[in-house]
């Protein structure tokens, strides 16, 4: 969606290991926004983005307009079955978000016809939902998940970080610190204890409001039933000042 940072550039760099021709899309997709203010204030520094892509060795940029992606004459009633996980976590807090995401990603895939598509683990649930969309249409596209790139102090890079005030920026570290706590103490406590102790990190921080903090099954996103489960991921979303941030770590 543009406002590029080194997290995005890492996707381009990883793509170079898979393909000779790399196309980056920059499109702030209205149908995936549930909060109109979030859409309105989404940063759009286009010249800066193009310079970053050029120096990263990106071959081409797809930068359509809203009218090109959603022509008035097209009566596209997009709704596909993405499974139960669509309605959990981000899907609960941003209703309809993954219908909007999969709708635009299908359009972008149709335009580019890629062999491989790179997505960041930072949007863990998004990668799952796009994987489900690819299965739904049986698309011949390999989906690659790229690791989360962080600032030196641990904050996951995000275009929305630009909205953080100096105080928010300090407070934002609670996300990566609480995730790190779970990683460091995984063997010591039960799942419920880990979640409770991690949630305590969010108490009494001015301007920080936790949406969810969960240790979940990495396929279903349902709360983990036991530490012995094979795929476990810790996912968090919190509002820091007026900016909503997400982060996660894969435990196994
Ligand atoms: N810190 C990061 N490390 C790795 N990949 C990232 C990172 N941040 C974003 N990405 C990935 O880059 C792609 C484009 O993301 P997008 O344009 O939504 O930016 P974003 O930085 O996630 O923005 P925002 O956090 O405001 O939603 C997505 O696949 C996303 O997961
Ligand atoms: C997948 C995506 C391009 C759809 O607009 C967007 O959600 C993103 O960049 O993560
Ligand atoms: N980074 C995922 C897209 C979104 O937040 O809308």
């Amino acid at each position: 969606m543009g406002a590029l940072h080194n997290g995005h550039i890492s996707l381009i760099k990883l793509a170079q290991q898979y393909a000779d021709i790399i196309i980056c899309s920059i499109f702030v997709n209205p149908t995936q926004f549930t909060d109109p203010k979030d859409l309105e204030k989404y940063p759009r520094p286009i010249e800066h983005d193009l310079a970053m892509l050029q120096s990263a060795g990106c071959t081409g940029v797809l930068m359509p307009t809203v009218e090109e992606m959603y022509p008035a004459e097209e009566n596209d009633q997009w709704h596909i079955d993405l499974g139960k996980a669509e309605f959990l976590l981000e899907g609960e807090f941003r209703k309809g978000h993954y219908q909007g995401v999969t709708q635009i990603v299908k359009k972008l895939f149709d335009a580019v016809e890629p062999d491989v598509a790179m997505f960041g683990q930072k949007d863990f649930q998004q990668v799952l939902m796009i994987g489900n969309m690819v299965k739904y249409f049986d698309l011949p596209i390999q989906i690659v998940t790229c690791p989360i790139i962080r600032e030196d102090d641990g904050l996951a890079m995000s275009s929305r970080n630009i909205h953080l005030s100096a105080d928010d920026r300090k407070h934002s570290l609670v996300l990566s610190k609480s995730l790190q706590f779970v990683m460091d103490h995984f063997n010591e406590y039960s799942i419920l204890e880990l979640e409770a102790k991690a949630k305590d990190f969010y108490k009494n921080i001015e301007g920080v409001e936790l949406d969810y903090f969960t240790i979940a099954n990495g396929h279903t996103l349902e709360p983990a039933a036991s530490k012995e489960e094979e795929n476990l991921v810790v996912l968090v979303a919190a509002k820091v000042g007026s900016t909503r941030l997400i982060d996660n770590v894969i435990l196994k």
Side-chain angles (χ1 to χ4, degrees), residues 19-246:
D20 303 321
I21 299 175
I22 295 153
I23 309 295
C24 174
S25 64
I26 299 186
F27 181 65
V28 184
N29 172 41
T31 70
Q32 71 190 69
F33 282 81
T34 35
D35 174 1
K37 275 204 207 109
D38 187 23
L39 173 61
E40 192 189 319
K41 71 177 190 183
Y42 202 86
R44 292 163 167 92
I46 286 304
E47 295 306 320
H48 161 268
D49 286 352
L50 293 178
M52 270 183 99
L53 289 176
Q54 190 158 28
S55 61
C58 183
T59 324
V61 184
L62 176 63
M63 232 169 46
T65 62
V66 173
E67 292 70 29
E68 280 167 327
M69 279 308 184
Y70 298 104
E73 64 276 14
E74 180 187 284
N75 191 10
D76 184 3
Q77 295 291 337
W78 179 269
H79 189 90
I80 64 168
D81 183 3
L82 293 168
K84 280 199 226 156
E86 176 192 350
F87 307 107
L88 303 174
L89 309 178
E90 287 304 285
E92 190 184 335
F93 284 87
R94 299 177 69 181
K95 298 240 183 296
H97 175 60
Y98 291 113
Q99 291 299 328
V101 166
T102 51
Q103 177 184 32
I104 192 62
V105 172
K106 176 69 165 57
K107 284 171 183 275
L108 295 169
F109 282 174
D110 288 347
V112 175
E113 297 188 343
D115 299 310
V116 186
M118 324 300 289
F119 294 94
Q121 182 204 312
K122 196 192 72 163
D123 296 280
F124 187 92
Q125 190 172 5
Q126 172 168 279
V127 186
L128 270 186
M129 294 298 110
I130 291 171
N132 289 354
M133 188 269 281
V134 165
K135 277 189 213 131
Y136 183 93
F137 292 108
D138 199 14
L139 302 176
I141 301 174
Q142 181 188 357
I143 302 298
V144 176
T145 310
C146 308
I148 302 176
I149 306 298
R150 299 179 178 279
E151 303 289 355
D152 288 342
D153 60 6
L155 175 66
M157 289 189 183
S158 162
S159 307
R160 290 183 176 95
N161 291 350
I162 200 170
H163 298 312
L164 299 170
S165 69
D167 274 349
D168 294 343
R169 179 64 184 77
K170 282 185 214 141
H171 298 158
S172 68
L173 292 182
V174 67
L175 279 87
S176 53
K177 288 201 166 128
S178 60
L179 293 173
Q180 188 65 47
F181 172 85
V182 174
M183 295 222 286
D184 292 345
H185 299 274
F186 185 68
N187 293 327
E188 265 166 73
Y189 300 111
S190 70
I191 297 237
L192 291 180
E193 285 168 335
L194 286 164
E195 284 176 345
K197 286 178 187 293
K199 284 180 188 173
D200 282 346
F201 280 54
Y202 293 78
K203 285 191 182 148
N204 307 320
I205 310 184
E206 213 185 290
V208 176
E209 198 185 307
L210 185 61
D211 279 352
Y212 58 79
F213 187 102
T214 180
I215 303 177
N217 177 287
H219 291 315
T220 63
L221 301 186
E222 300 279 358
S226 104
K227 278 164 72 172
E228 273 61 57
E229 271 180 50
E230 262 181 39
N231 296 285
L232 288 182
V233 57
V234 196
L235 300 128
V236 61
K239 238 175 145 193
V240 179
S242 58
T243 309
R244 191 168 175 282
L245 301 177
I246 58 172

